[in-house]
Amino acid sequence: MTTTSENKHILLVEDNPADIDLIRHVFSEQEVAANITVATNGADALKALQGVMTGSRGKSPDLVLLDLNLPGIGGRDLLAMMKKDPIVRRIPVIVLTSSHSSTEANECYSLGANSFITKPEDFHGLQSIIRAIESFWLSTVTMPPSSVRFSGEG
Amino acid sequence: MEAIHILLVEDNPADIDLTKEALRVSKISLDLSVAMDGLQAMAILANTTKKLPDLILLDLNMPVMDGWEVLRELKSNKRYDRIPVVVLTSSEADRDILSSYDLGANCYIAKPVDLRLFEEVVRSIEQFWFTVVKLPTHAAN
């Protein structure tokens, strides 16, 4: 899979295979080209971000979609770690999880989650959420510029 | 259903009018507060008798107390830190974008100059934040 500088790179942290397939599929239908990297647990997500954290030139995600129900390092702890790192904290994190809990949402926002979205249980619902994320985050929002991400500041 | 409360922090009267107009046609029941500088914004938040804002639209370049200072105050205070902040400003400078995300802005949107595009952006903000996202909740004041 080739990555041009135009393509957005999305890190999907999710362990449910059906959701992974659906999310990949919906992104592939969209007008904005996006490359999806999948981490099925927190440790792998950290590895994917490792290059960003140590400042070495690596492929930094433009956006992270984060499920909270992960094996090993929980989604919330991963979120906290990401938002404490001076460089990684700039990457928008959208929590996309089955939880309907307001307490959970509040905690995630306080930890620095850029958005919290409750995953719909049905196919069409999830499809429409992914389209909305793509439409807002990859088209409307001005994302952090990747060119300055490794400038050594932070 | 309770109206959604938006706090608009913006010093340019023309932009305030534009935003009000773009929000006026919304199907969602909205309650808009306006602060023309950061100090006013913090005063509104501290003294509010109604519920805290569900969303803050924040300009960066303002007199008295600018948007970066507001962001710092909001994101370091347990009472306010969960309120989503959409930085909505004319700057497209990398430095401004980066520092906003660094300070914890939920997202940054460079305001289009074109009126129609600006209205689309406001609609986009409403659609995402009020129909897709699960917003944080706040204890009653």
Side-chain angles (χ1 to χ4, degrees), chain A residues 81-138:
Chain A
M81 276 184 239
M82 288 174 63
K83 290 301 179 180
K84 284 202 182 89
D85 183 274
I87 307 292
V88 174
R89 61 183 280 116
R90 295 162 178 173
I91 306 171
V93 178
I94 299 176
V95 171
L96 183 62
T97 190
S98 52
S99 172
H100 289 267
S101 159
S102 287
T103 308
E104 188 120 66
N106 289 350
E107 282 168 352
C108 285
Y109 280 111
S110 291
L111 285 172
N114 298 73
S115 307
F116 183 102
I117 298 174
T118 300
K119 246 194 281 191
E121 281 162 49
D122 65 299
F123 171 89
H124 289 294
L126 185 53
Q127 190 180 42
S128 114
I129 292 288
I130 296 300
R131 284 187 181 142
I133 291 171
E134 188 273 340
S135 159
F136 186 71
W137 284 95
L138 302 188

Side-chain angles (χ1 to χ4, degrees), chain A residues 46-63:
Chain A
L46 284 173
K47 279 196 205 107
L49 295 162
Q50 204 67 46
V52 186
M53 280 166 157
T54 60
S56 56
R57 287 208 79 85
K59 201 170 49 173
S60 174
D62 294 294
L63 187 72

Side-chain angles (χ1 to χ4, degrees), chain A residues 52 82-93 110-114 137 142-145 148-154, chain B residues 58 60 67-76 81 85 87 93-108:
Chain A
V52 186
M82 288 174 63
K83 290 301 179 180
K84 284 202 182 89
D85 183 274
I87 307 292
V88 174
R89 61 183 280 116
R90 295 162 178 173
I91 306 171
V93 178
S110 291
L111 285 172
N114 298 73
W137 284 95
T142 307
M143 302 283 259
V148 298
R149 210 168 283 140
F150 299 101
S151 67
E153 45 175 333
Chain B
L58 178 67
L60 290 176
W68 290 280
E69 203 45 54
V70 172
L71 254 180
R72 265 185 217 107
E73 296 266 341
L74 292 174
K75 294 301 179 180
S76 60
D81 68 3
V85 179
V87 169
D94 280 355
R95 159 193 292 274
D96 291 340
I97 300 165
L98 214 50
S99 62
S100 297
Y101 280 107
D102 258 343
L103 291 170
N106 295 69
C107 62
Y108 184 109

